[in-house]
Amino acid sequence: MQPTATVLVYSDDANTREQVRLAAGRRPAADVPPVEYVECATLPAVLTALEEGGIDVCVLDGEATPAGGMGVCRQIKDEIFDCPPVLLLIGRPQDAWLATWSRAEAAVPHPVDPVLLADALAGLLRRGERAAA
């Protein structure tokens, strides 16, 4: 198991980024590595962080502006080689089909439910560990 996992959190709202960090905590599940967070408030910051590498999972706010997380997800899936898995925060359950369109591996509703978010994030981290093995 790697010593830490790096999770990129994108939202234009600092409170949303904080909610994600607090909900998932330093270790979203006992069988995944501790998490370090990289926070991004803009699309250029997301692209720069992904191009630098080392990101294990992205958590994107579907309600962010001006670049919404769903559009950002679709863009990075097209443009970033070996793009990490994406967890989308969606505003309404009816938006789940948009999460599928964007090619996100998982989606949870916003406002953030700590249990759902931690479970989804841990699942994506486990998938990444299996792929690396």
Side-chain angles (χ1 to χ4, degrees):
M1 181 183 299
Q2 69 188 58
T4 61
T6 303
V7 175
L8 181 146
V9 181
Y10 164 69
S11 178
D12 65 315
D13 184 345
N15 290 325
T16 299
R17 295 191 307 268
E18 180 181 36
Q19 287 174 14
V20 169
R21 283 187 295 102
L22 293 175
R26 291 277 301 133
R27 194 169 206 151
D31 63 336
V32 298
V35 173
E36 292 181 358
Y37 295 96
V38 173
E39 293 188 36
C40 298
T42 65
L43 174 58
V46 170
L47 297 175
T48 298
L50 289 171
E51 288 169 359
E52 289 173 358
I55 304 295
D56 296 297
V57 175
C58 297
V59 178
L60 308 178
D61 179 3
E63 304 297 312
T65 59
M70 293 183 206
V72 171
C73 180
R74 182 124 176 148
Q75 180 177 347
I76 64 176
K77 292 294 183 177
D78 285 342
E79 295 179 3
I80 303 296
F81 175 73
D82 201 21
C83 184
V86 173
L87 170 60
L88 269 176
L89 302 177
I90 56 175
R92 307 171 308 150
Q94 299 88 339
D95 292 337
W97 74 272
L98 285 169
T100 301
W101 166 84
S102 70
R103 299 190 211 136
E105 284 77 6
V108 295
H110 187 64
V112 173
D113 176 318
V115 173
L116 291 176
L117 181 80
D119 286 347
L121 182 57
L124 294 178
L125 290 168
R126 286 183 201 107
R127 279 174 67 178
E129 283 187 347
R130 282 194 301 267

